[in-house]
Amino acid sequence: MYKSMQKQINLKTKTIKYDLEYKKVKNINLRIKTDGSVHISANRFVSMKKIEEFIRSKEDFILKAIDKFSLKRKEEKRRFFEDNELIDIILNLCKEIYPYFKNLGVKYPQIKFRSMVSQWGNCHFRKGILTFNKYLAFAPLECIEYVVAHEFTHFIHPNHSKDFYNELSKVMPDWKERREKLKKISIK
């Protein structure tokens, strides 16, 4: 009869949990499943010290694999729009909201897209450029609408002053709720 148990080990940069199963094997074996779980099998005569030394020797490999599978799962669960579809959605939203800002003297901006790690969009109000994060593909439509309205509002108020939020409220009264939903989406 083989014994299986849940264990934990402190590595240099992270603490991980792993399943340890004692089997009739010659070597210590490591397997990382696509759900990111770590499985070790070893002969019952191998000491815990040896098993932990083995795990520590594979730390870089284990952490990279866990991160890889974690990122893949996030992308599979959270990807709502493909790149071309996202671009079409944002361009259409820009055209829909523009008449409000045109009446305030804003010229139609140049629209750009790129991957960014710390912001969903930005406005270069002097250059007339709006840039949107390609990772908005992971956001629901109502959050994308919020980002578009937010960035357009920077053409009127290029800061986050009280006046900026008052203007944004005129265009999108429920912006706070949409912003809260967007904050729950990680782009890192």
Side-chain angles (χ1 to χ4, degrees), residues 36-188:
S37 60
V38 179
H39 299 267
I40 304 289
S41 58
N43 191 292
R44 64 185 177 98
F45 298 109
V46 176
S47 69
M48 273 311 296
K49 183 180 177 186
K50 283 276 188 204
I51 292 169
E52 289 187 357
E53 284 174 0
F54 172 80
I55 294 170
R56 284 192 175 91
S57 75
K58 304 289 184 192
E59 177 176 1
D60 290 344
F61 170 78
I62 292 169
L63 295 178
K64 281 181 189 172
I66 290 171
D67 287 346
K68 176 184 155 191
F69 289 130
S70 174
L71 180 63
K72 187 176 178 183
R73 275 195 323 278
K74 283 181 186 175
E75 287 184 3
E76 288 170 356
K77 285 181 184 178
R78 294 171 38 196
R79 191 154 191 81
F80 292 100
F81 305 110
E82 293 301 323
D83 282 347
N84 289 339
E85 187 180 4
L86 175 69
I87 290 168
D88 288 344
I89 287 167
I90 290 177
L91 290 176
N92 286 332
L93 291 172
C94 289
K95 287 175 189 168
E96 285 176 25
I97 201 168
Y98 177 65
Y100 176 87
F101 291 93
K102 182 179 181 181
N103 289 336
L104 297 173
V106 175
K107 292 184 180 179
Y108 193 83
Q110 179 182 359
I111 309 294
K112 294 184 175 185
F113 298 88
R114 67 184 175 98
S115 298
M116 298 183 272
V117 294
S118 62
Q119 56 188 348
W120 291 109
N122 64 43
C123 173
H124 293 284
F125 65 97
R126 287 191 180 107
K127 294 180 181 179
I129 299 171
L130 293 181
T131 304
F132 294 98
N133 193 333
K134 287 184 174 186
Y135 290 117
L136 281 168
F138 299 120
L141 183 59
E142 64 187 316
C143 294
I144 298 170
E145 291 169 337
Y146 160 72
V147 174
V148 170
H150 181 107
E151 297 309 329
F152 260 94
T153 304
H154 280 306
F155 285 122
I156 307 302
H157 300 283
N159 51 38
H160 289 113
S161 65
K162 185 178 178 183
D163 291 336
F164 169 86
Y165 289 109
N166 287 338
E167 195 67 46
L168 181 58
S169 294
K170 292 176 190 174
V171 181
M172 184 173 282
D174 65 341
W175 66 266
K176 286 181 185 176
E177 293 82 9
R178 295 174 189 238
R179 182 180 67 180
E180 288 309 307
K181 285 182 183 177
L182 190 62
K183 282 182 178 180
K184 293 176 183 171
I185 299 170
S186 172
I187 58 177
K188 293 183 181 181

Side-chain angles (χ1 to χ4, degrees), residues 13-30:
T13 58
K14 191 174 186 177
T15 299
I16 63 163
K17 292 181 179 177
Y18 64 96
D19 290 313
L20 173 60
E21 186 175 5
Y22 288 111
K23 298 171 128 180
K24 287 186 181 180
V25 292
K26 289 183 181 180
N27 301 311
I28 302 173
N29 300 300
L30 166 66

